């Protein structure tokens, strides 16, 4: 099913993971991303609903541990995905992930582009990564450009979508 139709059909879902899948799948389907990662940390009942939703809407996916990877099979060979979650994996997820590193202990800051609907509690992190502070400074123009792209893409999809770019000290660091 067309990603725009899926969005408008399910945009009022109360299941955060399905809402995130819808937004990430839209980016994959229009070619903005080839691969998107969705963390699924739900109970069995919600996980079953997610699987039914994916199959019903013919969304290409693969599951790695608790991660759900959405992909466009015409543009990305899922068998080439680096599941070790290190530098190569970050670069496969897209240009936003320039700070991807094997040394997570040195990444004390987060940079996030999130999307939410003005009339909803669902906040979806479209892009998020941990970085050293100097990497955020060095790449802020690139992150801001991606943020503007996301604002434009989702603004065309639904005028009620709100995008936010933020950086902050990682509370777990």
């Amino acid at each position: 099913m067309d990603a725009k139709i899926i969005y408008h059909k399910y945009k009022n879902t109360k299941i955060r993971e399905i809402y995130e899948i819808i937004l990430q799948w839209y980016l994959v389907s229009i070619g903005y991303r080839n691969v998107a990662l969705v963390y699924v940390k739900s109970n069995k009942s919600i996980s079953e609903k997610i699987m039914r939703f994916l199959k019903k809407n013919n969304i290409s996916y693969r599951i790695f541990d608790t991660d759900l990877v959405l992909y466009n099979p015409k543009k990305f060979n899922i068998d080439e995905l680096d599941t070790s979650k290190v530098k190569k994996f970050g670069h496969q997820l897209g240009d936003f992930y320039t700070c991807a590193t094997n040394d997570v202990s040195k990444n004390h800051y987060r940079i996030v582009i999130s999307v939410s609907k003005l009339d909803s509690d669902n906040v979806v992190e479209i892009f998020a990564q941990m970085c050293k502070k100097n990497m955020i400074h060095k790449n802020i123009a690139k992150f801001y450009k991606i943020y503007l792209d996301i604002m434009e893409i989702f603004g065309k999809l639904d005028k009620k979508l709100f995008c936010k770019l933020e950086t902050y000290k990682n509370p777990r660091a």
Side-chain angles (χ1 to χ4, degrees), residues 3-4 6-12 19 22-23 26 115-120 150-163:
K4 205 172 209 176
I6 292 171
Y7 173 79
H8 288 290
K9 185 174 180 180
Y10 294 99
K11 67 182 178 184
N12 294 320
Y19 190 67
I22 292 166
L23 294 176
Y26 184 72
V115 177
S116 60
K117 274 192 358 183
L118 295 175
D119 57 353
S120 171
I150 295 299
M151 270 189 12
E152 182 179 341
I153 288 167
F154 286 127
K156 290 177 182 175
L157 181 65
D158 187 341
K159 300 287 185 217
K160 291 185 177 183
L161 288 176
F162 174 75
C163 299

Side-chain angles (χ1 to χ4, degrees), residues 23-24 26-28 30 32-33 96 112-116 124-127 142-158 161-165:
L23 294 176
Q24 293 285 13
Y26 184 72
L27 291 176
V28 169
I30 64 169
Y32 191 80
R33 303 182 80 162
F96 182 85
V112 176
I113 297 175
S114 59
V115 177
S116 60
V124 174
E125 291 183 349
I126 295 297
F127 294 99
K142 180 194 312 189
F143 297 142
Y144 188 67
K145 163 101 175 67
I146 293 170
Y147 164 72
L148 293 175
D149 289 348
I150 295 299
M151 270 189 12
E152 182 179 341
I153 288 167
F154 286 127
K156 290 177 182 175
L157 181 65
D158 187 341
L161 288 176
F162 174 75
C163 299
K164 182 168 56 170
L165 171 67

Side-chain angles (χ1 to χ4, degrees), residues 96 109-112 127-129 131 136 140 143 165-167:
F96 182 85
Y109 290 82
R110 287 192 87 221
I111 182 158
V112 176
F127 294 99
Q129 70 173 318
C131 289
I136 292 174
I140 196 67
F143 297 142
L165 171 67
E166 60 186 332
T167 64

